[in-house]
Amino acid sequence: MENQIKLGKNCIIGENFKCGENVVIGNNCIIEDNVVLGDNVYIDNNCIIRNDVSVGGDSAIGANCIIGEYQMDFYRDHLYHKHELFIGKNAIIRSGCILYGGSRIGEHFQAGHNVTVRENALIGDHVSAGTLTDIQGHCRIGNYVRMHSSVHVGTSSVIDDCCWIYPYVVFTNDPTPPSDTERGVHVHAFAVVATSSVVLPGIEIQSDSLIGAGTVVNRNVDKYQLVVGNPGKVKGDIRQIKNRETGEPYYPWRYHFDRNMPWKDYGFDNWFSTLDNEMKAMLLGADIKQNT
Amino acid sequence: MENQIKLGKNCIIGENFKCGENVVIGNNCIIEDNVVLGDNVYIDNNCIIRNDVSVGGDSAIGANCIIGEYQMDFYRDHLYHKHELFIGKNAIIRSGCILYGGSRIGEHFQAGHNVTVRENALIGDHVSAGTLTDIQGHCRIGNYVRMHSSVHVGTSSVIDDCCWIYPYVVFTNDPTPPSDTERGVHVHAFAVVATSSVVLPGIEIQSDSLIGAGTVVNRNVDKYQLVVGNPGKVKGDIRQIKNRETGEPYYPWRYHFDRNMPWKDYGFDNWFSTLDNEMKAMLLGADIKQNT
Amino acid sequence: MENQIKLGKNCIIGENFKCGENVVIGNNCIIEDNVVLGDNVYIDNNCIIRNDVSVGGDSAIGANCIIGEYQMDFYRDHLYHKHELFIGKNAIIRSGCILYGGSRIGEHFQAGHNVTVRENALIGDHVSAGTLTDIQGHCRIGNYVRMHSSVHVGTSSVIDDCCWIYPYVVFTNDPTPPSDTERGVHVHAFAVVATSSVVLPGIEIQSDSLIGAGTVVNRNVDKYQLVVGNPGKVKGDIRQIKNRETGEPYYPWRYHFDRNMPWKDYGFDNWFSTLDNEMKAMLLGADIKQNT
């Protein structure tokens, strides 16, 4: 095994370690038991990879990360209780991130610095989470979801594919704080929630809607709605929004933006037409013939 | 001494180290001088415990923490100046926290990840501070105060017992920014400040009040008031708020919620009746016969 | 060389390391190649100083920092690509900070904990960035700019000298999110942006203005304007604002506050009169004869 990896100084490797070819592990790393690393995985200095973590090939983990962090049950007896963490291929997890055991993260995950992801987070492919984003776990995040810096995803949140969430947005979950009732937010595909907005517990935000910066969303938001303000009010239909510089309509954005999106080089409609009906319905609901 | 502790690799232990039975210290830890650890303390990998830190028994400190961090005076001469830090029993301090020397933290403290607590913070028992919470020091926080993720507590803040503070709430302190005048916020017992609210300098929030999400609180808030909006306006009395699902009144919450609260299994009134008059007055002011 | 530095245990020093006199490097530090440290530099435990970093004399870097962090190009091939980082003299960079290669930071820089500064940030002298502040890079920050905790500076932002930015303020940059268009915010000298305000893309905030807490700034702000609310509205002229306690006018603050400012002990007008015309114009625009 040692001949497959380039290992830094002062590392500690636990039992039952498995790794692919061309793996690099930096200095002062601690790899606990039952860790599996795919081919070409790069782990930077001072990382702690706890028990039962599996990292897909071609992934990079920045310095000072803790991968497979303990859940609350550890603190009851100071003993590890088994919670596997799976991270898919091609992840880039920047320095200082803390990802708990007990979650499942898809391929092409990108995390900024000091991101936390707690247990029971089910995260799709091509998701990014910016610096200081705090995913509280017990949540479901689809594919191609982009969370910018300092997003707070409360437990029970559901975020569907291709949503964009901007800095300091909070998805809350307690309708009568403090309580033991939990009502997560559900944000549907292609919705955009701009900077510093707060979404109140149990709110449903339909696909293709746009929540303006600084909005407090206290009612459900319909498809295509533009909601702005505190409290949030419907200010129009996104299809009426014009780019101030060009004078052209811009939304739904999926017809005007494709960087890192699955329809890149195909166009949205061409890509969409290749999906099966279940996927189409998930993305755009009943309204699957939707266009601009 | 060495026979009392289970010590990881590459640790550095300073002078005058005292510890109880059954202590565990992980790998790569740096324990500076005059550190005292109670029985059953668990310190995870890569921690730095600076000089004059005392940690109560049955506490756990996650990986990569810095406990007893230097104050500003260190940077004048790159020399340590004495500032003791006391942390009570049964603390759970998760990975990445930075707690300064010169503060005093009660028992059963719980911190999420990357929490900072600066100097001259006086923190009671059973307090929790969520991930990324930033307690600027020179403040007083009572017992059973719950701060969620990313709360910012400015210097000179006073938070009384059993308050709940939600993500991205900020307690400010400068009435004419920038200035050398400092007027802290005072939040009284059982008050709830919901997500992303800002409390302006010198504001007093009385007990049992509720500040809605996204509120800018620019006037004092009376007992039982519900304040919402930007700027915050009195929208009613919390006793009129009904749980949307049950139709039942919910506030004051202390009659409907007791998880981890001191009245658990007793009921609020039974517990309250056991307190002495000074404590009663502190919690509920003149209005000590208060009920729903 | 080794006789010039006091080196902790388990350190790894790369090639071509240059340092001045009286340098201290803590335990477990990793110094990569081509690092230059001035006289009296203090580097605390567990720091990673990556390639091509230059730190000016009399600077201190707290524990667990990553200085010269990799840019995105590293993750393409897991190889370092050259990006120099210059940090001026007398910096205080507190524990947990992550500063990217490819930026230039002036003298007397102060950073709180867990601050991130990404690439292509051009930062002047005497700048401070509070705990958890997130500077996204590709931006220009003048001299004597004070950012409190948790400020988010989007790419393309320009912040002129002596601005004050308070917690959870966000400078956004995308007028039609998501898009590839980027329109940075420009905040002119002496402006104050209070807690939790959001400045929308491309907005210009003129000198000596004051943005109240919780404001969503969606229009340009003129000199001396007080803007408050969501959406932000002009509420008056800062020269009419009276200190509530003294009844005296307080703004422009530069006539009433000088802690750590360049006019300390001189008075603003005396200091201003010593500047050349270009600098005067930069600070106060056409209006260079400005007084209270």
Side-chain angles (χ1 to χ4, degrees):
Chain A
M1 186 188 65
E2 274 80 9
N3 61 350
Q4 295 168 333
I5 65 175
K6 187 177 160 202
L7 190 63
K9 297 186 184 170
N10 301 322
C11 289
I12 298 171
I13 308 280
E15 296 184 6
N16 215 4
F17 176 56
K18 291 186 185 130
C19 82
E21 311 232 323
N22 196 29
V23 165
V24 178
I25 296 178
N27 303 294
N28 308 323
C29 288
I30 299 171
I31 311 284
E32 301 188 348
D33 298 343
N34 304 312
V35 169
V36 180
L37 305 179
D39 292 344
N40 307 312
V41 167
Y42 184 99
I43 296 185
D44 207 333
N45 303 311
N46 305 341
C47 279
I48 299 173
I49 314 289
R50 297 206 188 277
N51 302 280
D52 299 305
V53 169
S54 175
V55 180
D58 298 301
S59 292
I61 296 179
N64 300 351
C65 286
I66 303 176
I67 308 297
E69 178 60 309
Y70 298 132
Q71 292 188 20
M72 187 64 196
D73 54 12
F74 173 82
Y75 298 101
R76 286 203 303 262
D77 49 17
H78 299 169
L79 294 174
Y80 168 68
H81 301 266
K82 183 165 179 166
H83 300 288
E84 296 172 291
L85 171 64
F86 293 92
I87 300 172
K89 294 179 185 174
N90 289 296
I92 297 177
I93 296 168
R94 288 181 180 73
S95 50
C97 287
I98 300 172
L99 310 184
Y100 275 52
S103 282
R104 181 175 279 270
I105 297 174
E107 301 185 356
H108 293 275
F109 180 61
Q110 285 225 16
H113 303 281
N114 299 317
V115 170
T116 49
V117 178
R118 288 190 47 182
E119 70 274 14
N120 293 326
L122 185 59
I123 297 179
D125 296 333
H126 295 273
V127 169
S128 64
T131 292
L132 297 168
T133 281
D134 177 13
I135 297 174
Q136 292 268 302
H138 300 273
C139 62
R140 211 171 71 225
I141 298 175
N143 304 302
Y144 294 94
V145 170
R146 301 299 162 110
M147 291 165 281
H148 210 288
S149 297
S150 297
V151 169
H152 179 96
V153 179
T155 50
S156 295
S157 297
V158 176
I159 308 177
D160 289 344
D161 289 13
C162 305
C163 287
W164 289 74
I165 318 292
Y166 285 86
Y168 296 118
V169 165
V170 183
F171 295 151
T172 67
N173 59 20
D174 185 348
T176 52
S179 80
D180 286 319
T181 304
E182 195 168 296
R183 298 288 176 266
V185 162
H186 187 171
V187 186
H188 291 260
F190 308 108
V192 176
V193 184
T195 299
S196 300
S197 292
V198 180
V199 185
L200 295 188
I203 292 293
E204 197 141 355
I205 294 179
Q206 295 297 339
S207 63
D208 283 322
S209 59
L210 171 60
I211 311 299
T215 298
V216 176
V217 185
N218 64 358
R219 293 182 205 193
N220 290 338
V221 175
D222 287 345
K223 188 171 173 69
Y224 295 131
Q225 281 185 337
L226 167 66
V227 172
V228 178
N230 178 2
K233 288 186 180 154
V234 179
K235 293 286 179 177
D237 183 301
I238 61 155
R239 292 167 292 188
Q240 260 74 60
I241 300 173
K242 302 234 178 348
N243 180 313
R244 284 193 191 182
E245 296 175 20
T246 65
E248 296 295 311
Y250 187 79
Y251 295 96
W253 61 266
R254 51 195 159 85
Y255 290 102
H256 302 276
F257 180 84
D258 64 8
R259 178 161 41 91
N260 295 324
M261 290 292 136
W263 56 87
K264 179 155 176 60
D265 301 330
Y266 300 93
F268 181 80
D269 285 337
N270 288 335
W271 169 78
F272 192 74
S273 69
T274 66
L275 304 178
D276 63 25
N277 285 336
E278 190 183 1
M279 187 64 169
K280 284 177 175 169
M282 196 281 278
L283 288 176
L284 291 176
D287 195 350
I288 63 171
K289 291 170 209 139
Q290 180 51 43
N291 59 46
T292 48
Chain B
M1 187 188 67
E2 274 80 10
N3 61 349
Q4 294 166 336
I5 65 174
K6 188 178 157 201
L7 190 65
K9 297 185 185 172
N10 301 323
C11 289
I12 299 171
I13 308 280
E15 296 184 7
N16 215 4
F17 177 56
K18 291 184 184 133
C19 83
E21 311 232 322
N22 197 30
V23 164
V24 178
I25 296 178
N27 303 295
N28 307 325
C29 288
I30 299 170
I31 312 282
E32 301 189 348
D33 299 342
N34 305 312
V35 170
V36 180
L37 306 180
D39 292 344
N40 307 311
V41 166
Y42 184 99
I43 296 184
D44 208 334
N45 303 310
N46 304 341
C47 280
I48 300 173
I49 315 288
R50 297 206 189 276
N51 302 279
D52 301 303
V53 169
S54 175
V55 180
D58 299 302
S59 293
I61 296 178
N64 299 352
C65 285
I66 303 175
I67 309 295
E69 178 60 307
Y70 298 133
Q71 292 187 21
M72 188 64 197
D73 53 13
F74 173 82
Y75 299 101
R76 288 204 302 260
D77 49 17
H78 300 168
L79 295 174
Y80 168 68
H81 301 265
K82 182 165 180 166
H83 300 289
E84 296 172 293
L85 171 64
F86 292 93
I87 300 173
K89 294 179 184 175
N90 290 295
I92 297 177
I93 296 167
R94 288 181 180 75
S95 49
C97 288
I98 300 171
L99 310 184
Y100 275 52
S103 283
R104 180 174 279 269
I105 297 173
E107 301 186 356
H108 292 275
F109 180 62
Q110 285 224 17
H113 303 282
N114 298 319
V115 170
T116 49
V117 179
R118 288 189 47 182
E119 70 274 14
N120 293 325
L122 184 59
I123 297 180
D125 296 332
H126 295 273
V127 169
S128 64
T131 292
L132 297 168
T133 281
D134 178 12
I135 297 175
Q136 293 268 303
H138 300 273
C139 62
R140 209 169 74 225
I141 298 176
N143 303 301
Y144 294 96
V145 170
R146 301 301 162 108
M147 290 165 282
H148 210 288
S149 298
S150 297
V151 169
H152 180 95
V153 178
T155 50
S156 296
S157 297
V158 176
I159 309 177
D160 289 344
D161 289 13
C162 305
C163 286
W164 289 74
I165 318 293
Y166 285 87
Y168 296 119
V169 165
V170 183
F171 295 151
T172 66
N173 60 19
D174 185 348
T176 51
S179 80
D180 286 319
T181 304
E182 194 168 298
R183 298 286 177 267
V185 163
H186 186 170
V187 186
H188 291 260
F190 308 110
V192 177
V193 185
T195 298
S196 300
S197 292
V198 180
V199 185
L200 295 189
I203 291 294
E204 197 141 355
I205 295 179
Q206 295 297 338
S207 63
D208 283 324
S209 59
L210 173 59
I211 311 299
T215 298
V216 176
V217 185
N218 64 357
R219 293 182 206 194
N220 290 339
V221 175
D222 287 346
K223 188 171 172 70
Y224 296 131
Q225 281 184 336
L226 168 65
V227 172
V228 178
N230 179 1
K233 290 188 178 151
V234 179
K235 292 288 181 176
D237 183 300
I238 62 155
R239 292 167 294 188
Q240 260 74 61
I241 300 173
K242 302 232 178 350
N243 180 313
R244 283 193 193 182
E245 297 175 19
T246 66
E248 296 294 312
Y250 187 79
Y251 295 95
W253 61 266
R254 51 196 159 86
Y255 290 103
H256 302 276
F257 181 85
D258 64 8
R259 179 161 40 90
N260 295 325
M261 289 292 134
W263 56 87
K264 180 156 175 59
D265 301 330
Y266 299 95
F268 181 80
D269 285 337
N270 288 333
W271 169 77
F272 192 74
S273 69
T274 65
L275 304 178
D276 63 26
N277 285 337
E278 189 184 1
M279 187 64 169
K280 284 176 175 170
M282 195 280 278
L283 288 175
L284 291 176
D287 193 350
I288 64 172
K289 291 170 208 140
Q290 180 51 43
N291 59 45
T292 50
Chain C
M1 187 187 66
E2 274 79 9
N3 62 349
Q4 295 168 333
I5 66 174
K6 187 175 158 205
L7 190 65
K9 297 187 184 171
N10 301 321
C11 289
I12 299 170
I13 307 280
E15 296 183 7
N16 215 2
F17 177 54
K18 291 186 185 132
C19 81
E21 311 233 322
N22 196 29
V23 165
V24 178
I25 296 178
N27 304 293
N28 308 323
C29 287
I30 299 169
I31 311 283
E32 301 188 347
D33 299 343
N34 304 314
V35 170
V36 180
L37 306 179
D39 292 343
N40 307 311
V41 166
Y42 183 98
I43 295 185
D44 208 333
N45 303 309
N46 304 340
C47 279
I48 300 172
I49 314 289
R50 297 205 189 276
N51 302 280
D52 299 304
V53 169
S54 175
V55 180
D58 299 300
S59 293
I61 296 179
N64 300 351
C65 285
I66 303 174
I67 309 296
E69 179 60 310
Y70 298 133
Q71 292 188 22
M72 187 64 196
D73 53 13
F74 174 82
Y75 298 102
R76 287 203 303 261
D77 50 16
H78 301 169
L79 295 174
Y80 168 68
H81 301 264
K82 183 165 181 166
H83 300 289
E84 295 172 292
L85 171 64
F86 293 91
I87 300 173
K89 293 180 185 175
N90 291 293
I92 296 178
I93 296 168
R94 289 182 179 73
S95 49
C97 287
I98 300 171
L99 310 185
Y100 275 52
S103 284
R104 181 175 279 271
I105 297 174
E107 301 186 357
H108 293 275
F109 181 61
Q110 286 226 15
H113 303 282
N114 298 317
V115 170
T116 49
V117 179
R118 288 188 49 182
E119 71 274 14
N120 293 326
L122 184 60
I123 298 179
D125 296 332
H126 295 274
V127 169
S128 65
T131 292
L132 297 168
T133 281
D134 178 13
I135 297 175
Q136 293 268 301
H138 300 272
C139 62
R140 210 171 72 224
I141 298 176
N143 303 301
Y144 294 96
V145 170
R146 301 300 162 109
M147 291 165 281
H148 209 288
S149 298
S150 297
V151 169
H152 180 95
V153 179
T155 49
S156 294
S157 297
V158 176
I159 308 176
D160 289 344
D161 289 12
C162 305
C163 287
W164 289 74
I165 318 294
Y166 285 87
Y168 296 119
V169 166
V170 184
F171 295 150
T172 66
N173 58 21
D174 185 349
T176 52
S179 81
D180 286 320
T181 304
E182 196 168 295
R183 297 289 176 267
V185 162
H186 187 172
V187 187
H188 290 260
F190 308 109
V192 176
V193 185
T195 298
S196 299
S197 291
V198 180
V199 184
L200 295 189
I203 292 293
E204 197 142 355
I205 295 179
Q206 295 296 340
S207 63
D208 284 322
S209 59
L210 172 60
I211 311 300
T215 297
V216 175
V217 185
N218 63 358
R219 292 180 206 195
N220 291 339
V221 175
D222 287 346
K223 188 170 172 69
Y224 296 130
Q225 281 184 337
L226 168 65
V227 172
V228 178
N230 179 0
K233 289 187 178 152
V234 179
K235 293 286 181 178
D237 184 301
I238 61 155
R239 293 167 292 187
Q240 260 73 59
I241 300 173
K242 302 236 179 345
N243 180 314
R244 283 193 192 182
E245 297 175 20
T246 66
E248 297 293 313
Y250 187 78
Y251 294 95
W253 61 267
R254 50 196 161 84
Y255 289 102
H256 302 277
F257 180 84
D258 64 8
R259 178 161 42 90
N260 296 323
M261 289 292 135
W263 56 89
K264 180 155 175 59
D265 301 330
Y266 300 94
F268 181 80
D269 284 337
N270 289 334
W271 169 77
F272 192 74
S273 69
T274 66
L275 304 178
D276 62 25
N277 285 337
E278 189 184 1
M279 187 63 168
K280 284 177 175 167
M282 197 280 279
L283 288 176
L284 292 176
D287 193 350
I288 63 170
K289 291 169 209 141
Q290 180 51 43
N291 59 45
T292 49

